Each structure stands twice: as structure tokens, then as C-alpha cells.
Amino acid sequence: MPKPELLETFANPYPGRDYEIHMTCPEFTSLCPLGGVESDAAELELLKGGAPDFATIEVTYVPDELCVELKSLKLYFWSFRNDGIFYERVVNRILDDLAERVKPRWMRVTGDFNIRGGIKSVIRAETGRR
Amino acid sequence: MPKPELLETFANPYPGRDYEIHMTCPEFTSLCPLGGVESDAAELELLKGGAPDFATIEVTYVPDELCVELKSLKLYFWSFRNDGIFYERVVNRILDDLAERVKPRWMRVTGDFNIRGGIKSVIRAETGRR
Amino acid sequence: MPKPELLETFANPYPGRDYEIHMTCPEFTSLCPLGGVESDAAELELLKGGAPDFATIEVTYVPDELCVELKSLKLYFWSFRNDGIFYERVVNRILDDLAERVKPRWMRVTGDFNIRGGIKSVIRAETGRR
Amino acid sequence: MPKPELLETFANPYPGRDYEIHMTCPEFTSLCPLGGVESDAAELELLKGGAPDFATIEVTYVPDELCVELKSLKLYFWSFRNDGIFYERVVNRILDDLAERVKPRWMRVTGDFNIRGGIKSVIRAETGRR
Amino acid sequence: MPKPELLETFANPYPGRDYEIHMTCPEFTSLCPLGGVESDAAELELLKGGAPDFATIEVTYVPDELCVELKSLKLYFWSFRNDGIFYERVVNRILDDLAERVKPRWMRVTGDFNIRGGIKSVIRAETGRR
Amino acid sequence: MPKPELLETFANPYPGRDYEIHMTCPEFTSLCPLGGVESDAAELELLKGGAPDFATIEVTYVPDELCVELKSLKLYFWSFRNDGIFYERVVNRILDDLAERVKPRWMRVTGDFNIRGGIKSVIRAETGRR
Amino acid sequence: MPKPELLETFANPYPGRDYEIHMTCPEFTSLCPLGGVESDAAELELLKGGAPDFATIEVTYVPDELCVELKSLKLYFWSFRNDGIFYERVVNRILDDLAERVKPRWMRVTGDFNIRGGIKSVIRAETGRR
Amino acid sequence: MPKPELLETFANPYPGRDYEIHMTCPEFTSLCPLGGVESDAAELELLKGGAPDFATIEVTYVPDELCVELKSLKLYFWSFRNDGIFYERVVNRILDDLAERVKPRWMRVTGDFNIRGGIKSVIRAETGRR
Amino acid sequence: MPKPELLETFANPYPGRDYEIHMTCPEFTSLCPLGGVESDAAELELLKGGAPDFATIEVTYVPDELCVELKSLKLYFWSFRNDGIFYERVVNRILDDLAERVKPRWMRVTGDFNIRGGIKSVIRAETGRR
Amino acid sequence: MPKPELLETFANPYPGRDYEIHMTCPEFTSLCPLGGVESDAAELELLKGGAPDFATIEVTYVPDELCVELKSLKLYFWSFRNDGIFYERVVNRILDDLAERVKPRWMRVTGDFNIRGGIKSVIRAETGRR
């Protein structure tokens, strides 16, 4: 289950300047919802046929008072590992969780998911004004 | 024969936000119209000399109330497999069928067709305002 | 259904020399057998959930008395389009059909199939001595 | 000698929508003018030292009432094969010939010529408003 | 915990010929052993700091009487998802499990693991004679 | 410790024209702050577990009266080698140091840092108007 | 019509040493034989539907007493421009013509022809012992 | 010493249309100024330690009445070969020399110089309005 | 100064099988010896003009009783960071240090060093029999 | 004129081990012989039409008692800059000069020359036994 409480922040060392931070995590994995129902009873689900999903998550933002701490972001991403969750929710949820903690001037989250059924999906959402 | 009735939708989980969904299918195939006449009598046509066409189809859209269900999109693409149909119609037809079902805020469809006669063709059409 | 009778040959113009001919067809498609049973009732099968397979087929050979005619090879590959057939059979069948018609000094067939279930498969078989 | 009379058109199947057609031909060849004089006495010229030129030609347009037929475009490109002609004229001439036949809403032609004398040349011209 | 009992086989359709089957799975994931102790108490471990590992697993073999069924191989790979296990054991264990079930004439397994601590690791093991 | 006093300049030879200078250094290295505390007691820190960081630094600017001398820029970059310093500070500090010396019409600095904990970071800051 | 009389040679400056010369010409073009009959009535043929062929020709050899002069090789390749000729003959003919003039210790010729009918062809022939 | 008198022009064959000509020369070489002093006593300088510089020069322009002749441009570039000259001057000088001869509606020159001291430099200047 | 005492090992979990372990570290850095004299007085040297060197180090080995522990290998590589040392010594020294600790059946070390003075260097050494 | 007296050597630090040193110089340039006559009156020649040649030179060797010093190799390569010399002589000459100074156990030199007249040339020569 996504654990936004894992996210930690530190004070932006250059709050007087609009600058951009871009982070890419090529090792995101969650599970496909079993029978279209989202769930976190992962191991059970996995052996019944719920497929793992793999994605590269990109986060770009212009910090205001806070920056997200890199190691805590990694732990937060790990907390999706055994969750059955839709692509659209993954991306919008990450955006909501990060925006609530970091309160950036602008933020964009992109999820680039591996091919499933011969089709590749990319979801992109953003908040704030650049 | 393209079967738009195969397309299924689900409720957009984040309708309050403008965000973008991008899907790429590198395994689209249809047939070239025999003697310039479009048809769905495929196997017959195939052996008379109507050549298979291969394309990568990309669909990008901003959902409103609905999202297209990924597996149903795959089945819909498969329904072109034995049809004799022009490139221009493939792309505009997919756009029409998807737009009618999903009613997106904006949608763009691109068909990137393999080389024929030493020439590569890419067709792109869109609807709505981004 | 694979139609080896489509394969045509022509006399090797340089039979006195061992030389190599290599052909690559990136547009091979067949169907996955439905419920593990191979079949050629394709359209029916397709809509019940039998997935199309896509592959690049490579044929390399040293001709003896005959060469395979390029256009007839293309038509022969097309004849797999609506067949439900296993990967292993695709590759070994092509090798058998071609070797029987062309009687090469040596021949190798490789099928490089697109990702299915997150796994990519390549099958390679050969006959004769190089 | 370029033969615009080879170009054929067909009725745009979706005239009510602005959409884009992009074609790429990586197999364009003509001859370099001998002694800077353009000519179509090709074979003669070739052996006197007029060098063949090779280019990739790209055509992008938004159709109005007509689309260019793909096979006729290929034949039209072939008609430059034995002509001595400057790069700048190749690109502008193709644009003029196509625009006159197809009467597009907008069209752009790009010629990307292979290295000569260690220098690569790309010429791009367009007509109409996008 | 790796579950070799998930592996299924089918009869090799061409047992009279030595041919090669190559499968690549770019979506393998397991966990790093916590404090150097291998374990399958995964979720607990994950939040204490045991890092997920990601790898591409390649299996190449020459079948004898049996082939491994593709979907069951995928399920078998998924069964490592929540295990704390060393790289060296992952590769040798997969080789042992597959060789025991499939009894190939020859088999090689390669694990290509993502960068950790700025160092990339590839482990390769084989059994039988080619 | 970053040594901006190493930076040397020379008179812009074409001050009457707005033009752009872009420099890329793929060999930037500094140290990760130990326990989150920035420091320059590098060797000590290194053996206690503070990890080296590696980045590609890009600097783009429109010169006014002065240009930065290339060799002095290299020496300035080297002066970060044994410093414990955050990514955000690296990029903003380089921008401040260069802008103060070179007084450009516009300048942008990008730091593209190698993967740490499976996540890649890129930081970008600029000053002035283009 | 191929003109081997265009080929010129010069004395190998280092005949006492076995060394290798490799030349690649990415701009080879000839014509497809019309109705399967080889011919040199090119322009006529071109407009009746005989398609131009494009290939990259590679020549590798170990010289004995003679080397082939680079510019004359280019002119010799140009002499195929308006000939209707099969792939297999192109490669074996170039090998024969070059070997007769240059009398190398060993020589290999490869013709890598552009996709036709969705199939790419590569022909390779050699003479002598390496 | 740069020799702008080598540059030749010819009349733009399509002066009634704004179109773009782009030329790329990947084989530009000059010398680094010895001890920071620009000079053309090249061979002497070379052996004292003045390093050769290598660059790709790109020129893009919209012609007015004149086009630059390709072969003369090559000779002009060659005239920098034994000159000790700064990067910034190379690019601005080429722009000045070409603009004076060709009098284009718009022109841009880019010099992309090979790595020196671990740093890559790209200089870009333009004149006129696009 | 290289610190081989940092290297740690663990018992090979599959000593009964010859298998291969390959590790790549793209983040190796040391210093160029100042005036051709190797030294470890790094910071001093750095500012006098001794240039940092950057390399990718690859280690491949067949373990016998022991495997090298990945994290300790990283720390060992870090211990070269402030040393003035020749390329040839870097590679042979790493081979000696690792072979002494790990006692592999076979081992190869490759150092792929970044361009210096326009020349790239790769050094490769091995020990034992494969 | 090539100046082998520029080449300097140093004592191989590990003469007891057969290991391999590989150096690549992508910035080699010489001149094409004017009218087929080799010469070193370069500047004169350059303006009469003798074209500069560009190549990547690769040197691989197993040292015996001596290694070639990297900076002196660079200076030696520079000494070809204004020489009119054939490709075959460039490569064999470098091999002779280096082998005479360094007396390696084995050495190979490859010259990969840029396209001239649409043809790319690679020359490779070696000496000694590997």
C-alpha cells in the first residue's frame, strides 16, 4: 500500500530562485489489479494470476520552500511493490502525495509502463503553473 | 472489419484534473485494398496479391468522464487484421471510433506504416482542443 | 495454413561457388494456438482471445542447384497469417518446407518473436553442413 | 527528366478534418549537373564524370480535396534518376509539381542529400499556411 | 520463495533435431538479503531497508524430450518477487530448477542485474554439452 | 572546496552580437555529504562511507563583455572533487560563481547526476533573460 | 552494363605483409530485371515498372601484387546504374570482375540490399584462402 | 589563414520563395592558438605543442539573391587548417565571411568542437531575421 | 592509495560448477601522475595541474572457493580516488589485488579510460585458464 | 612528414604478464596525394585541390619490454597533418614506426578513413604473434 508517510523533505537551499529538479526511477513495480479490483493482498493475488507491472517514473518540479529527500522517495516508491493498482491511479496518486508534502511551485509526474498485451502506456499529470 | 463495439471504457478515476494518456501499439496489421477497392473478404484477397500492411498506432488523449480499457483496445485493433483498408481511413476511422466511445477532451491518433515501394507513410489526425 | 506449394525456385546462377544468401522478414505474423490446440479457423479464434503473434524470420543458406524466389517466399510467409501455431513449429516447419524445395547445401532459420507475458523468445534451427 | 504527369491523386476520404500525411523516400537518386550545366543526357554524362546524387526526400502535407497516390509518387521520384539537376532545384521542383497536382492546404518538402566533398546538405521548402 | 513446482513442460515437437530456444525476461525482480541473511519474509524486510533487485534473465537451451511452457516460466520467475536472495544463487538456482524439469541437452542461464553501488553485475552458468 | 578564484575570463571577441556558448563536462565528481552534513574533510569521509557522486555539468550562456576561459573552468570543476555537497547546491553554486565572474547576458547550468538508489537526478537553474 | 574495364589498379606498397583492405559503398544502385529477364535497356524498362534496387556493397581483400584504385572502383559501381540484374549476379559478378583484375590473396564481396516486399536480402561470396 | 576570397556564389534559382539550406561539415580542423596568441605560422606552432582542434561546422540560411557554391565552401573551410584561432572567432568569422558574400535573409553558424580537457564546446551565432 | 585490505569475500555458494561473474564499474577515478611520478599526495597535486582520470573498470572471473563481496569492491575502487597512478598499473594492480584475495580459477580486468589528448586507452589483463 | 623520432617509450611495469593495450585516436588527419604523387609540400598542395583525409587510428598491442608514451604518440600522429600520403601507406607506416620503437610481442594498426567518393575505407595490418 502506498505509504506517503515515508516521504521526507529538506529546506530548499536556494528558495529565491526558480529552478528545476528532475528525478527518474526506472525500477518502479506494482501489481495489476486482480479481476479489475484494486487490492493489497499481494502474494495471494500474484499466484492467482495478477501480473506484476513495471514502469519508469519521472518526477519534475520547481521547489518552493521544500525539496523531497531522495532516499525517502525511493522508499515511498518501494511501498507500491505489492499493491494491485491501475496505471492512472499510480501516476495521479504519486502526484497528489508528493504535491501535498513538498508543496512545489509546479510539479509533473510521468509513468512509462512496460508493454502489456502488445500495447505500451504512458500517463502524465501535472499541478501548479510553470 | 473494424469492430468498435469491442471498445470498453471505465470511469476516469481523476476527472477533476487534465492529464494525458498515451498508448502505443507496435503490432497493428491490416490488408492493402485489392485493386484499390476496400473489402473484408480477407483470406481470398491475401492469396490474390493484396499485401498485408503493418503499422505502429499511437493514441494520445486527455480523458473527460471515461478512459478506454486497455485490453478492449487491443481486441479492437485486432479486428482490422483481415480488412482491406487505406492508410488514411485506418487513422481517421480509429480516431472516430475512439472519440465516439470515450468522448475525450482531446485526442490524437498517429499511424506509422512500414515501408511500401520504398516509401514510408505516417498519418496523423486529432480532434478536440488541448 | 502454411502453403509450401507457394514456394518457387530458380536455377542458382553461380552453382560452382559456395556463397551465402541471407533474407530477413520483419513482418511475419501468425496466431497463438487457442487453448493450446493448433488450428486454422482463424477469424473465429481471433475474437475468442487467441492472440496474434509477430516475429522477424531470418533465413540464411548456401544454395546448391536452386535459389528460392523472393516474392514466392513472401507469399509463403503470408500463408501463416491466420494459423494457430506454436513458435517451435513455425521455425522448424519453415526450415523443413524450404529445405525440401530448395535442397540447399546448408540452411538456418531463426524466428525472433515479440514479447509475450514479459518474455521474448528466439528459436533457431538448421540443417546440412556449412 | 522529372515527369509530373506520372503523379496521380485520389479523393481525400476525410476532407472535413485537417490532418497530416507524411511520406519519406530514402531511395531518391539523380545526377550531379556536368560542368554545372543541368541536362538529361544521363548515361553519357555519367561516364564523363557527373556523379550520382543520393537523397532522402520527405513530403508532409495537409490534404484538401485530393491525396497523392503512393505508387505514382514513387514513379515520379524514379523519373529524376537520370537527370543532371541541382539540389535546390530538386526540392523546389518537387514542391511545385506536387502542389500543382494535389492543391494541399499546406505542404513541405525536404531533401536530405548524402555527403559530397565532406559536406552534407539539407534543403527545405514549403507552401501554404499550416 | 522460488516455486519450481510452477514449471510446466510440453513434448518437444521436433526431438529429432538439435535446435536452440532462447528466452529473455527483462522484468525479473527479487529482494536483496537483509543483513546478508537470505529470507522470504519480504514485506517486513522491504521496509527495514532490504533493497529490491532488478534483472534481465536469459535462458538458452537445446531441448531433448521436453520444452518449458512459456507462461509457467513467467509464473516461476514471479515466485522470486518477495524473496531475499543473492545474485549468484538466483542464477544457479534457476539453472538447477529448469534443468531438473526440462532435462535439456544443454542449457545456459544469465542474470544481468541493475547497477547497485555504482557497479553492474552479470552472472552466467551452464550445464550439459552443446 | 569549490574555488571560484580559479575562474579566469577573457574579453568577448564579438561583444556586438548576441551569440551562445555551450560547454559540457562529463567528468564532474564530488562527494555525498556524510550523514547529511556538508563538509570538505574528504578523504576521511570517503573511507567512512560517504559515496562519491558523478555528474555531467552543462553550462550555456550568452556572453556580454567576458567569456570564461576553458582551462580555468576545468580547474574550477576539479576543485569540487573532495567536497561533501548536495546536488542542489552544486548546480546553484556553479551558476552563482560563474555569473559573478563572467556577468553574462543569460546563463543556464544543468547537473545530470548518475543513478543513486535506483534514481537519476537532473538539476537545472538559470539567470538573466535570453 | 557493368564495365570491368573501368577498374584500375596500383602496385601494393607493402607486398611483403598480409594486410586487409575493406571498402564500403552505401550508394550502389541497379535495376530489377523486368519480367525476370536481365537487360540493359534501362530507361525504357524503368518507366514500364522495373524497380530500382539499392544496396550497400562491401569489398574486403588481402592484396597480393595489386590494389584497386578507389576512384575507379566508384566508376565501376556506377556502371551498374541502369542495368536490370539479379541480386545474386550483382555480388558474384563484382567478385569475379575484381578478382580478375586485382588477383588478391583473398577477397569477399557482400551486397546488403534494401527491403523489397517486406524482405531484406544480403548476399555474400568469397574467393581465395584467408 | 581563413581565405573568404575562395567563397563563390550562384544565383538563387527560386528567389521568390523563402526556403532553407542547411550544410554540415564534420571535417573542420584548425589549430589552438599557441600561448593564447592567434597565428598562422602553423607547422612551427604544431611541433611546439599547439594542439589541432576538430569541429563539426553547421551553416543554415535562407537565401536571398545568392546561394553559396558547395565546393567553394569546402575550400574555404580548408583554409583554416593551419591557423591558430579561438573557437569563438572561428564561428563568428565564418558567419561574417559568409554573410558578406551571400547576403542571406537569415543565417546561423554552429561550431561543435571535440572534447578538450574533458570539456566539449559548442558555439552558435546568427544574423538577420527568420 | 589502493587499499586491498578493504576487499572482503564470501564462500562461493556453487563451488561444484564453473560459472562466470562479471562486474562493471563506470565510476572509477584516479589521478594522473604529476610529472610522470606516481604519488598519493593528491589534493596538492590536483591544483598543480595533475589531471583526474576517469575509467570504466570491468572484472570477470570464474570463482573457486570465494566470491568478492560487491560493496567491499566498491570501497576498494574508491581507494584509488586521490592517487597519482599510470593506466597500466591501475589495471594490473587491480588484477593482482583481486586475484590474491579471491583466488579465482580465471580472472580478467579491463580498464576503459576516457579520452586524453584526443586518444582513448583500454588496458586488459588476465590470469589463470578459462 | 611522419616523424617517428617523436615517439617515446617507458619501461613496461608488468613485463612478466601478457596483457593488451588498445589506443584509439579519432582525430587523425593527413592529405590526399596530389595527382597521385605523395609529397609533404602541404599548404601549396592544399590550395591546388589535394583534399584533406580524416581517419580514426586504432593501435592494439601486447607490450614486451616497452610501452609507448601516450603524449608522444599524439605528437607523432600530428606529424602526418600536412603530408600527402596514401591510406595503405599511413597504416603500414604507423605499424612499422611503432613496432621498431616499441618492439611489442604483437601489434595491430587499423585506419578507418572517412567516406571519399561515396566509399568508406578501412585498412588493417599486424605484426608478431598473439
Side-chain angles (χ1 to χ4, degrees), chain I residues 63-77:
Chain I
D64 189 20
E65 296 298 315
L66 298 171
C67 295
V68 66
E69 200 271 332
L70 198 63
K71 194 172 176 182
S72 79
L73 180 66
K74 179 183 70 174
L75 291 171
Y76 167 67
F77 284 155

Side-chain angles (χ1 to χ4, degrees), chain E residues 87-89 92-93 95-96 115-127, chain I residues 10 13-14 17-27 61 67 70 73-74 77:
Chain E
Y87 294 174
E88 285 81 3
R89 194 177 300 279
N92 282 288
R93 174 73 192 264
L95 179 60
D96 282 355
I115 285 187
R116 287 294 171 266
I119 300 181
K120 182 167 193 13
S121 295
V122 181
I123 318 283
R124 171 172 295 173
E126 66 182 68
T127 185
Chain I
F10 61 93
Y14 285 78
R17 176 183 284 154
D18 263 19
Y19 69 97
E20 190 181 296
I21 299 175
H22 177 81
M23 293 166 302
T24 309
C25 175
E27 298 183 343
Y61 70 104
C67 295
L70 198 63
L73 180 66
K74 179 183 70 174
F77 284 155

Side-chain angles (χ1 to χ4, degrees), chain D residues 86-89 91-93 95-96 115-127, chain H residues 10 13-14 17-27 61 67-68 70 73-74 77-78:
Chain D
F86 287 116
Y87 294 174
E88 285 81 3
R89 195 177 299 279
V91 170
N92 282 287
R93 173 74 191 265
L95 179 59
D96 281 356
I115 285 187
R116 287 294 171 267
I119 300 182
K120 183 168 192 13
S121 295
V122 181
I123 318 282
R124 171 172 296 174
E126 65 182 68
T127 185
Chain H
F10 62 93
Y14 285 80
R17 176 183 284 155
D18 264 19
Y19 68 97
E20 190 180 297
I21 300 175
H22 178 81
M23 293 166 302
T24 309
C25 175
E27 297 183 343
Y61 70 105
C67 296
V68 67
L70 198 63
L73 180 65
K74 178 183 71 175
F77 285 155
W78 289 357

